[in-house]
Amino acid sequence: MLHLPTSKKRVSLAMLHTALLFALITAQLCITITYKCNGNPIPEFPAILVFGDSSVDTGNNNYIITPFKGDHPPYGLDFPGSLPTGRFSNGKLVPDILAAMMGLKETIPPYLDPYLSEQDMVTGVSFASAGSGYDDLTTSLSHVIPMSKQPGYLKHYIRRLEGIVGEKEVARILGSALVIVSAGTNDFIFNFYDVPTRRIQFTIDEYQDFLQKQLQNLVKELYHLGCRRMVVSGLPPVGCLPIQMTAKSPVLRSCSHKENADAKSYNDKLEKLLPQIEAELLGSKILYVDTYNPLLDMINNPTKYQFVETRRGCCGTGLLEAGPLCTRSTPVCPNPSGYLFWDSIHPTESAYTILSQKLADLLLHEFPVTRTQ
């Protein structure tokens, strides 16, 4: 037996104690965190399925006839390979970042991509379409895919997936997948504020209820197709989007308090509605995701998040440019990561990363993790 001097014994015991403590802490983290733990990913969901607008469209509009495209530089400036993939940002969106956090895959591809691999099909896709909304009127001129039509693509996806893994496995994937629903902003901007077509028919309160009825129909349709775990995003502070500040307060660059108040009341209604829908749909889990308060905190407290600019976008003047107005010839700010907004509507990857972390925290709280051996 090896006999150590007393001082060395103390050092060895202290090191052993530290190592054991570290191992215990690491083990606890592996139990409670779905992110990568010691390089060993523990995905809580077998797939991510996404429905919505440009906040979650990873490139579907590339494959349809519409002017609402982000398939050109400088979009994708900070995406791997500096590729303009159709994402309306400088980099990845929340579904991409979340998938990587969970160890599922690095990005969520658009369903309309003709070169989807079988593995991409199995682990999830986005059905979202930039410019979309719950109100079919929102897409009448842009010809993008309305929210009401996106479940139709899910039906087609299910048939294709059954050919890959079989009917029983498809039911398991759908029942355990994380379903992300994110839309509503375009409905208010296109139909109520900037082009007041719906304002002739509805009060703001009535239009909110109208949209949430369409959302309720969508959620129920997704449920009947087999989806059980859903997160539904509320509205951002619409009045603080650079394009809305340009329209309402071009000199002072102040947020529209009226539009923010409308978004907040919409969110309050949605937060109450979702548990009611969940109670009707046996075995479902439907969570409200708050984007309003996190984004407003970024706007009001930029240094807290290492932002240098939160009231204009990185692309061009940052006041008006988006989509076809944010092009290869448009100047770009020298440090996109210091900007909250990439163009006059859409956040940067930096902002989406913060929102992704908050969503991940919510998922950790609401969906307990089963430790894998």
Side-chain angles (χ1 to χ4, degrees), residues 40-355:
N40 180 32
I42 309 172
E44 171 67 14
F45 306 94
I48 295 178
L49 301 172
V50 187
F51 303 84
D53 55 21
S54 57
S55 62
V56 287
D57 178 4
T58 57
N60 283 308
N61 279 18
N62 295 353
Y63 306 101
I64 61 176
I65 300 173
T66 177
F68 281 64
K69 293 180 186 287
D71 61 348
H72 52 271
Y75 288 103
L77 179 67
D78 297 302
F79 194 84
S82 295
L83 294 174
T85 60
R87 291 167 173 83
F88 280 75
S89 185
N90 61 311
K92 296 180 179 181
L93 307 182
V94 168
D96 301 312
I97 298 166
L98 196 64
M101 279 182 170
M102 290 164 42
L104 195 60
K105 54 186 174 182
E106 287 304 308
T107 58
I108 298 293
Y111 178 62
L112 296 184
D113 182 350
Y115 300 106
L116 277 179
S117 69
E118 289 190 352
Q119 181 62 18
D120 272 332
M121 287 284 291
V122 171
T123 51
V125 295
S126 174
F127 303 95
S129 179
S132 189
Y134 297 115
D135 184 350
D136 282 357
L137 181 63
T138 303
T139 61
S140 60
L141 295 178
S142 64
H143 303 296
V144 301
I145 307 166
M147 296 295 289
S148 63
K149 298 291 173 55
Q150 290 177 24
Y153 288 92
L154 176 62
K155 292 176 184 177
H156 187 252
Y157 165 84
I158 291 170
R159 290 194 294 271
R160 290 178 64 184
L161 197 57
E162 286 175 347
I164 299 170
V165 298
E167 190 173 332
K168 184 177 179 180
E169 179 64 7
V170 168
R172 186 195 71 82
I173 291 172
L174 289 176
S176 301
L178 174 65
V179 176
I180 298 174
V181 179
S182 177
T185 302
N186 294 326
D187 295 310
F188 288 97
I189 291 178
F190 294 163
N191 301 330
F192 208 87
Y193 297 137
D194 299 354
V195 184
T197 47
R198 288 300 194 193
R199 206 161 68 205
I200 298 169
Q201 300 172 265
F202 300 107
T203 65
I204 185 64
D205 191 60
E206 291 169 342
Y207 192 52
Q208 291 170 348
D209 294 343
F210 170 79
L211 292 178
Q212 292 191 7
K213 180 62 178 175
Q214 312 313 308
L215 186 155
Q216 186 171 1
N217 293 339
L218 171 77
V219 168
K220 288 183 176 180
E221 187 170 5
L222 297 178
Y223 174 85
H224 291 305
L225 288 171
C227 301
R228 293 294 181 269
R229 298 172 163 189
M230 308 183 212
V231 294
V232 181
S233 176
L235 295 177
V238 177
C240 291
L241 299 179
I243 196 167
Q244 292 306 98
M245 286 194 279
T246 298
K248 307 301 191 301
S249 179
V251 177
L252 297 177
R253 304 296 301 161
S254 59
C255 298
S256 168
H257 297 299
K258 173 67 171 67
E259 292 180 10
N260 279 358
D262 291 344
K264 196 169 185 308
S265 64
Y266 173 95
N267 291 342
D268 290 342
K269 289 182 178 181
L270 181 61
E271 193 170 8
K272 293 173 184 174
L273 174 65
L274 294 179
Q276 296 173 19
I277 301 174
E278 179 182 294
E280 291 180 29
L281 304 177
L282 185 64
S284 69
K285 185 78 170 177
I286 306 171
L287 304 178
Y288 167 75
V289 179
D290 177 20
T291 58
Y292 183 99
N293 288 301
L295 281 170
L296 194 61
D297 193 46
M298 294 181 218
I299 291 165
N300 292 333
N301 302 289
T303 56
K304 177 179 172 182
Y305 301 94
Q306 289 79 54
F307 288 128
V308 297
E309 178 59 71
T310 62
R311 294 179 182 272
R312 62 181 65 209
C314 174
C315 186
T317 64
L319 309 179
L320 188 64
E321 295 86 356
L325 298 180
C326 178
T327 67
R328 188 188 300 271
S329 60
T330 310
V332 174
C333 69
N335 180 27
S337 65
Y339 277 60
L340 170 57
F341 291 101
W342 166 247
D343 58 20
S344 65
I345 301 172
H346 306 99
T348 57
E349 184 181 276
S350 296
Y352 280 135
T353 299
I354 296 166
L355 293 176

